[in-house]
Amino acid sequence: MKTDLKGLNALETEQWAVEHGLAPYRGRQIRHWLLNRLAVSCDEMQNLPKPVRTLVRESALIAPLEEITTLTSEDGTRKYLFRLQDGHLIESVLIPERDHLTLCISSQAGCAMGCRFCLTGKQGFKRDLAPSEIIEQIILVKRSLVLRERLTNIVLMGMGEPLANYDAVIRAIGNMVAADGMNLSHKKITLSTCGLVPEITRLGQDTTVNLAVSLNAADDATRSRLMPVNRKYPIRRLIQACREFPLPNRRMITFEYILI
Ligand code: SF4
């Protein structure tokens, strides 16, 4: 089975290189091509000798998603449809605003949370995304941007509940913010959750990305009707977890409401 290199951290990529008979610096070069230069093919890795490129091609998975279509709406919002290696489909949405360009990415194929207002919830859960599949959405969208466009913000708010795929999401965020990875700022990454209380607490310990909570109701009866997760983690517990969530200076938690 091929190694999914975009999901490895820096040390693991070096170890992979050594295990394949290469010097550790080759691992660093490959990581740079994959996460910083946004390569999706070994042929792009121009400073690697041909035998190394052949080794990477034969032993590693470096392009886990296939772009199927892109739809652009009148306001410039772009919806990307991607196919995973096993055929499941996921979406990413690029949202242009006056002074920033936000990409909303998926963390699961389908979703088990069953929020009543959500089409993804109606489809049910298919599977968790691997870290590389989360990251590749950013890579493919960045590659599609035209010269004057610059991606400014990432929001984990697409298909799936990111905190239900906790380890993969944390690993993906690690490669997004690593200086030798995608080198994005924590401040520009927001994770939106339907309210998995224990994982909100873990998130505050493991990263400093922004937190957004999909609230949608101010009382338990209404929220439980709209969002079954509320039966397990009612509003009082959710708000307590938010109060305890560590907030660096001048950062705040966003509470989201859907208008039905
Ligand atoms: S958690 Fe998000 S993706 Fe899942 S059903 Fe609710 S709104 Fe939809």
Side-chain angles (χ1 to χ4, degrees):
M1 192 169 143
K2 291 187 171 185
T3 305
D4 197 353
L5 284 182
K6 282 173 180 161
L8 301 186
N9 64 29
L11 187 62
E12 290 165 344
T13 313
E14 283 186 20
Q15 282 168 350
W16 179 88
V18 171
E19 283 162 12
H20 287 79
L22 304 173
Y25 80 91
R26 290 293 186 203
R28 293 194 289 277
Q29 283 180 314
I30 293 166
R31 180 174 166 84
H32 183 76
W33 274 109
L34 295 177
L35 297 179
N36 188 280
R37 304 289 298 274
L38 313 176
V40 294
S41 148
C42 297
D43 299 330
E44 297 172 46
M45 303 178 182
Q46 290 153 3
N47 61 348
L48 295 184
K50 203 169 170 206
V52 176
R53 277 185 268 158
T54 304
L55 173 77
V56 175
R57 187 178 299 112
E58 289 173 354
S59 328
L61 173 66
I62 59 168
L65 301 189
E66 180 192 353
E67 188 176 334
I68 304 297
T69 53
T70 307
L71 299 173
T72 306
S73 68
E74 276 177 15
D75 66 1
T77 300
R78 259 177 262 165
K79 191 189 269 192
Y80 296 79
L81 184 67
F82 298 115
R83 181 160 38 222
L84 309 176
Q85 298 265 311
D86 58 8
H88 290 307
L89 299 175
I90 57 166
E91 289 175 358
S92 309
V93 182
L94 185 67
I95 307 153
E97 289 166 287
R98 196 161 51 90
D99 52 3
H100 49 272
L101 188 58
T102 300
L103 177 64
C104 176
I105 58 175
S106 297
S107 55
Q108 297 179 311
C111 183
M113 294 297 141
C115 302
R116 297 283 177 263
F117 48 80
C118 174
L119 267 181
T120 304
K122 287 194 173 66
Q123 289 170 19
F125 176 70
K126 305 289 191 311
R127 72 166 172 86
D128 286 329
L129 297 193
S132 62
E133 292 167 332
I134 298 170
I135 287 169
E136 188 78 345
Q137 297 168 65
I138 306 172
I139 290 173
L140 291 180
V141 170
K142 277 185 110 174
R143 286 174 66 100
S144 77
L145 299 180
V146 296
L147 261 186
R148 63 187 161 75
E149 293 178 317
R150 197 176 66 82
L151 188 61
T152 57
N153 297 71
I154 304 289
V155 191
L156 286 133
M157 201 198 286
M159 295 173 81
E161 163 53 54
L163 293 184
N165 185 15
Y166 190 86
D167 292 342
V169 164
I170 291 296
R171 186 173 264 271
I173 290 172
N175 272 351
M176 288 179 210
V177 300
D180 68 342
M182 303 184 92
N183 201 20
L184 303 172
S185 166
H186 281 101
K187 293 181 201 160
K188 301 293 183 183
I189 299 173
T190 300
L191 184 149
S192 171
T193 178
C194 66
L196 299 185
V197 165
E199 286 77 14
I200 289 175
T201 304
R202 280 179 75 191
L203 185 74
Q205 293 160 357
D206 292 343
T207 77
T208 54
V209 298
N210 301 303
L211 177 67
V213 175
S214 179
L215 190 60
N216 303 311
D219 64 89
D220 280 324
T222 310
R223 191 163 193 270
S224 293
R225 207 164 53 240
L226 291 172
M227 305 177 73
V229 69
N230 194 72
R231 292 177 204 142
K232 189 165 184 188
Y233 301 116
I235 292 173
R236 183 183 50 76
R237 285 192 63 190
L238 177 59
I239 297 301
Q240 186 60 31
C242 291
R243 281 192 206 286
E244 291 166 4
F245 191 81
L247 286 175
N249 264 351
R250 290 193 287 172
R251 293 234 234 145
M252 55 185 90
I253 296 174
T254 305
F255 290 95
E256 301 155 345
Y257 252 75
I258 191 161
L259 300 177
I260 301 175

